[in-house]
Amino acid sequence: MSSNTTEAATAPISGRPPEAALGQAPPKQVARLILMLAALTALAPLANGMYIPGFPELARSLGATDSSVQLSMTAFLVGLAAGQILLGPISDALGRRSVLLAGAGLFTIFSVICAVAPTIEVFNAARLLEGITGAAGLVIARAVLTDRFHGTPAAARHFSTLSAIVVVAPVAAPILGGAVLGIATWRTVFAVLAAFGLVLAVVVALWLPESLPADRRRGGGVGRTFKAMAGLLSGRAVVGYVLTSSFTSAALFIYISGSAFVFHQVYGVSSGLFSLIFAVNAFGSLAGGILFGRLAARVRFNTLLIAGLALSLVAAAVLVLLLASTGGNLATVWICLFFALTGIGVVFPATMTIIQSLGHRAPGAASGLIGGSQFVFGAAASPLAGLLGTSTAVPMAVLMLAAFTVSTLALVTIARPWRGHGEPTRTKS
């Protein structure tokens, strides 16, 4: 991409409030906005994972097979990917609030249907639709941040908050679900999700202002907004960053789906210790996101992205070497995975910030492209570790290394980060 193209991609949109005005917004107002967007972002990951501890009970209750119950998670992830691809561009044409309200309201309804489903077929169909509508919070939260903070270092800090939610929420969800299942049934989990969706719908209706006024929406109808997504994919840099983000997401999903087998079956850890391991690694991801947010005002986004991805790649490579040479042990596997997850915590907000900056003229389309591709790659990668065997940690480690390697190749050969794509204009102090 030429320097002129880069400048055009990061130039302010006509009609956008001056960045100085955004910076003068009361801190409490900004904090409330970020809190609302964080809650909206957490909705779908929580819905994906909270009912996992109840799989056996769900199967018995509905007279279903284990595979048909597992299909409900696949259906949700498919809906989540499709919903982001669809709803992001739609919000560029119709505005953010209306799509968020519809998404939260319909998510509530489909969660209620899941809670009262009489058969596994009804349950799985409702899960698909729950995924599509739950995607609204994920995809539009990123678009709202781009509407309000594009071109400022604050954008990176706020994107790091949302990306931390995307990494931590899937890890926390089974723990929260287990707490609910300790006192109630799997149906109560979906009642809780329905209540969460209803509360968010009320919050959006009462307190979330529209961030995309009518004069800044994309004319020509919804069809034109989908063309904007295709236009984003015509840019080499965008494709490179999307692939970097997507293959990193694949590595994360391989970890989430494979780690239970590794720690329980290979190293024989208890459920309590496994929860601790998961929590510590989630903290690593959170720390990576916080570090990105703190450094983004002083260090180039692309430099931080390279550093984060290098950390994950090296951690995965060391893990594979240790497993191949010594067989590894619980401590070394845990430490390597911690650093791999910490690197992911940097990669996600970095790619998110850069892609949203490059696609700031159609923030919903850019957001849908990021989220949709992440979950498509993640859903495809999830079962791979189990298919290749669960008697050792090697399949999980090798697959994570492969995903990080392809992610690095995409960054270096396609995105070419040394060209400074998506960087804000930095003033000299």
Side-chain angles (χ1 to χ4, degrees):
M1 182 179 289
S2 67
S3 60
N4 290 337
T5 304
T6 303
E7 291 170 2
T10 57
I13 299 174
S14 177
R16 181 183 301 280
E19 305 301 347
L22 289 174
Q24 293 167 2
K28 287 186 177 180
Q29 180 180 330
V30 174
R32 187 175 68 180
L33 172 66
I34 301 305
L35 181 61
M36 286 188 285
L37 297 180
L40 288 164
T41 299
L43 182 62
L46 290 177
N48 183 49
M50 278 185 67
Y51 79 127
I52 290 176
F55 272 12
E57 181 194 356
L58 192 158
R60 289 193 300 270
S61 174
L62 297 182
T65 63
D66 290 344
S67 61
S68 61
V69 172
Q70 291 170 341
L71 181 62
S72 68
M73 179 172 285
T74 301
F76 184 86
L77 289 173
V78 169
L80 198 56
Q84 291 184 81
I85 294 170
L86 291 170
L87 298 179
I90 287 174
S91 74
D92 283 337
L94 303 181
R96 314 299 185 206
R97 266 174 54 87
S98 59
V99 180
L100 270 176
L101 282 170
L106 290 171
F107 174 90
T108 300
I109 292 172
F110 291 127
S111 294
V112 170
I113 294 174
C114 286
V116 301
T119 66
I120 191 64
E121 289 78 16
V122 172
F123 180 78
N124 285 348
R127 283 289 286 170
L128 174 67
L129 297 171
E130 188 188 40
I132 293 173
T133 53
L138 269 174
V139 68
I140 296 176
R142 293 188 293 262
V144 169
L145 284 186
T146 305
D147 291 337
R148 292 185 172 275
F149 298 102
H150 165 68
T152 69
R157 187 171 65 253
H158 298 322
F159 277 126
S160 71
T161 300
L162 298 193
S163 67
I165 300 274
V166 171
V167 175
V168 173
V171 177
I175 299 173
L176 295 175
V180 174
L181 289 164
I183 58 175
T185 70
W186 67 268
R187 294 185 186 275
T188 306
V189 172
F190 288 95
V192 170
L193 288 170
F196 190 19
L198 181 60
V199 168
L200 288 178
V202 172
V203 167
V204 170
L206 295 180
W207 292 298
L208 187 67
E210 176 60 66
S211 63
L212 188 68
D215 62 344
R216 286 172 47 208
R217 295 173 192 172
R218 298 188 69 84
V222 174
R224 184 178 175 187
T225 67
F226 283 101
K227 291 182 180 178
M229 183 178 286
L232 289 174
L233 287 173
S234 67
R236 173 174 179 160
V238 171
V239 171
Y241 289 115
V242 167
L243 289 175
T244 299
S245 173
S246 298
F247 278 101
T248 301
S249 179
L252 174 64
F253 274 76
I254 289 166
Y255 161 76
I256 291 174
S257 63
S259 57
F261 295 107
V262 169
F263 289 112
H264 281 312
Q265 297 183 16
V266 179
Y267 297 108
V269 305
S270 65
S271 296
L273 179 56
F274 177 64
S275 296
L276 175 64
I277 292 170
F278 238 49
V280 170
N281 288 351
F283 176 77
S285 297
L286 182 62
I290 293 172
L291 183 64
F292 173 81
R294 293 286 180 86
L295 295 178
R298 303 187 299 275
V299 182
R300 285 160 46 100
F301 300 159
N302 285 278
T303 301
L304 294 171
L305 171 57
I306 293 169
L309 188 53
L311 177 61
S312 294
L313 180 66
V314 169
V318 169
L319 178 57
V320 170
L321 288 174
L322 288 174
L323 291 171
S325 60
T326 68
N329 56 51
L330 175 60
T332 57
V333 171
W334 186 356
I335 291 170
C336 289
L337 289 175
F338 174 83
F339 283 109
L341 269 288
T342 301
I344 290 176
V346 177
V347 172
F348 275 1
T351 53
M352 189 184 298
T353 304
I354 292 168
I355 295 168
Q356 290 286 164
S357 180
L358 292 174
H360 72 271
R361 295 186 181 278
S367 181
L369 189 59
I370 299 167
S373 61
Q374 282 181 339
F375 279 93
V376 166
F377 278 67
S382 290
L384 295 180
L387 291 174
L388 294 181
T390 57
S391 59
T392 73
V394 173
M396 182 187 73
V398 169
L399 287 169
M400 289 182 69
L401 176 59
F404 287 132
T405 300
V406 178
S407 180
T408 302
L409 289 173
L411 180 65
V412 173
T413 64
I414 303 177
R416 297 180 291 185
W418 55 86
R419 297 196 172 191
H421 304 298
E423 300 284 349
T425 301
R426 301 179 188 270
T427 57
K428 296 182 178 179
S429 56

